[in-house]
Amino acid sequence: MVKVSVIVPIYNVEHFIEHCVTTLMQQTLDEVEYIFVDDATPDDSIQILETVLKQYPERLSCVRILHHKENKGLPAARNTGLRVATGKYIYHCDSDDFMEPDVLKRLYDAAEEHKADYVWCDYYIASKKGNEYRPQPGYTTVEQALQGMLCGEVIYNVWNKLLLRELYEKNCIVFPEGCSMGEDMTMIILLSCASKIVHIPYGGYYYVTINPIALTKKYVSEKNVISLKCNIIRISKFISERFGNKFDYEINIFKLNLKWAFLAFSSHISTYKLWHEWFPEANAYIPLHHVSLRMKFVEWCASKRLFWLVKLHYLIVIRLFYRVVGK
C-alpha cells in the first residue's frame, strides 16, 4: 500500500531541484510514491532530476515523471499529480525547496495515530542570511484552525501539510487552473472540509525565499492581479456558502491581509487604487485588524485615497528597511 503520494511540479528550477530531489529520496518513510510533473520546463530541470534519481535505484519503482506538452501553470501541474496519485495521503512539495529526511514519516505517523485527515508542521524560511524557524499554532479544532488561517496566524501554503487523499476526492476539490497567484488558498477550502486536524511542532520543511522587494513585480502583473482576486473571491464564496455568516469577520480580515501587499510592495498609485477598489466592504474592519498601528494608519490613508502618504510610507519605511537589512 502506498502511504503517501508526493506531488512535485517542475518549472524553471534547475538551480534548486538537485537539493530538493535529494532530500525527497532520503525520506525515512517507506511506501512513498513520488510524482514529478514536468510543466514543459524550458531549462535542464528534468535532466538534473533524472541524474539525481539514478543515485537512488531503490526508489525508481516508486517514481513517476509526467509531462505537459505546454506550460499550464502550477495549479494544473498539481491537479495532474492528483489525478494519478494512489497514496492514502497527499503531500505537495515545491521543487525549489527542501526538507528534513524524517518529515514525511512524522506527518504520516501523526495522521495515523490521531486518525486525522489534515496534518501540518512548522517550517523554516531559508535565505542567504540563514534559516529562520517559523512555528505554527497548535490548533485542536477545525474551527480554530480555519479562523487562524483566514486571519493569517497560520499559513495556507501547500508544502507543510499532509492531507488524506479522500479529502480531495469526496469533496471534489482541485486547484484553480489558470489562476496561479494564490492557488495555495485551496488548502483553506480543504481545511473547512476536514474532520480531524493535528499539528506537530517540528520544522521539517525549508521554504526557499527571495528578497521580498521582488514581490513588487508580482503585484503589478495584470495576470497575477486577476488570479489573486479570483482566488480570494473563490475562498470567500466557499466559506460563506458552507458556514453562512459565521466567519464574516475572518473573511474580511483575510481580504485586508491580502490587499496589504498592494500598499507594502509598490510605489505605484495605480496599485494603491486597486487596493481601494478591491473589497471595500473589508475597510470597515481596519480598526479591528490585529496589525501594527503603522499598518492600520497606512490602510486608513488608502481608504481615504491619501495615496501620497501611502507612497511616502513605502519610500521611507519599506525601502529604507530593506536597504538596512540587506547590508
Side-chain angles (χ1 to χ4, degrees):
M1 180 193 74
V2 177
K3 295 177 180 176
V4 177
S5 291
V6 180
I7 299 172
V8 190
I10 298 174
Y11 186 79
N12 271 352
V13 287
E14 62 181 8
H15 300 297
F16 305 95
I17 194 168
E18 180 178 0
H19 192 192
C20 174
V21 177
T22 298
T23 61
L24 284 172
M25 294 299 104
Q26 293 177 347
Q27 289 299 303
T28 58
L29 181 67
D30 295 323
E31 289 84 44
V32 177
E33 172 183 62
Y34 297 97
I35 304 170
F36 297 97
V37 183
D38 169 20
D39 194 23
T41 183
D43 63 358
D44 293 329
S45 294
I46 299 304
Q47 292 89 327
I48 296 171
L49 165 64
E50 292 172 342
T51 298
V52 176
L53 290 176
K54 290 176 182 178
Q55 301 172 30
Y56 300 90
E58 72 282 2
R59 292 281 196 186
L60 290 179
S61 62
C62 303
V63 173
R64 299 185 66 176
I65 302 178
L66 308 178
H67 302 275
H68 286 171
K69 292 182 179 180
E70 59 183 21
N71 179 250
K72 297 182 178 181
L74 192 53
R78 297 200 198 282
N79 289 338
T80 294
L82 283 172
R83 281 193 289 270
V84 302
T86 62
K88 183 177 181 180
Y89 298 93
I90 298 292
Y91 184 85
H92 295 278
C93 176
D94 285 352
S95 49
D96 52 355
D97 299 333
F98 58 97
M99 61 188 68
E100 293 290 346
D102 60 345
V103 65
L104 289 182
K105 188 175 190 310
R106 286 177 180 248
L107 288 167
Y108 175 81
D109 288 347
E112 289 289 286
E113 179 183 352
H114 298 280
K115 306 299 180 186
D117 51 4
Y118 198 110
V119 186
W120 72 97
C121 66
D122 301 337
Y123 66 100
Y124 287 90
I125 288 185
S127 67
K128 293 180 179 179
K129 294 180 291 183
N131 300 323
E132 181 182 350
Y133 187 66
R134 293 293 181 90
Q136 294 289 279
Y139 301 117
T140 57
T141 68
V142 170
E143 181 175 336
Q144 290 174 343
L146 188 55
Q147 288 173 332
M149 198 169 283
L150 287 170
C151 290
E153 295 167 5
V154 58
I155 59 170
Y156 52 72
N157 302 69
V158 298
W159 35 252
N160 69 329
K161 299 171 181 67
L162 184 79
L163 275 64
L164 193 68
R165 180 160 57 93
E166 289 184 0
L167 197 58
Y168 291 89
E169 296 174 347
K170 287 186 175 181
N171 297 286
C172 301
I173 297 171
V174 295
F175 290 88
E177 298 192 15
C179 295
S180 294
M181 188 72 167
E183 51 91 24
D184 283 27
M185 296 177 197
T186 303
M187 305 310 283
I188 301 176
I189 292 178
L190 287 157
L191 175 61
S192 71
C193 297
S195 299
K196 174 69 175 177
I197 63 170
V198 170
H199 164 257
I200 57 173
Y202 170 67
Y205 193 91
Y206 292 79
Y207 172 65
V208 178
T209 188
I210 56 177
N211 189 333
I213 286 295
L215 286 172
T216 300
K217 295 180 180 179
K218 288 187 176 182
Y219 283 94
V220 296
S221 161
E222 183 178 358
K223 181 179 179 180
N224 286 343
V225 165
I226 293 172
S227 292
L228 181 63
K229 188 172 186 179
C230 285
N231 278 311
I232 296 172
I233 292 173
R234 172 176 171 247
I235 300 306
S236 302
K237 182 179 178 181
F238 187 93
I239 298 300
S240 294
E241 289 179 349
R242 188 174 180 86
F243 299 102
N245 61 3
K246 183 175 183 179
F247 293 99
D248 278 1
Y249 166 79
E250 288 81 6
I251 288 174
N252 282 285
I253 295 301
F254 176 66
K255 292 173 179 177
L256 284 177
N257 285 339
L258 287 162
K259 288 206 302 180
W260 169 250
F262 288 136
L263 307 180
F265 297 114
S266 177
S267 61
H268 301 284
I269 300 300
S270 59
T271 307
Y272 302 157
K273 289 180 178 178
L274 276 179
W275 183 97
H276 193 271
E277 294 167 3
W278 277 28
F279 314 114
E281 71 279 3
N283 297 348
Y285 289 80
I286 291 174
L288 305 176
H289 200 184
H290 294 300
V291 293
S292 67
L293 288 176
R294 172 180 61 84
M295 290 177 63
K296 285 185 179 181
F297 175 71
V298 175
E299 289 176 327
W300 178 84
C301 289
S303 71
K304 300 301 181 182
R305 301 182 67 88
L306 299 173
F307 298 141
W308 68 274
L309 280 174
V310 178
K311 185 170 185 176
L312 190 64
H313 166 265
Y314 172 81
L315 294 174
I316 295 178
V317 178
I318 303 297
R319 291 294 295 271
L320 180 62
F321 171 77
Y322 284 115
R323 188 179 298 123
V324 170
V325 299
K327 289 185 178 180

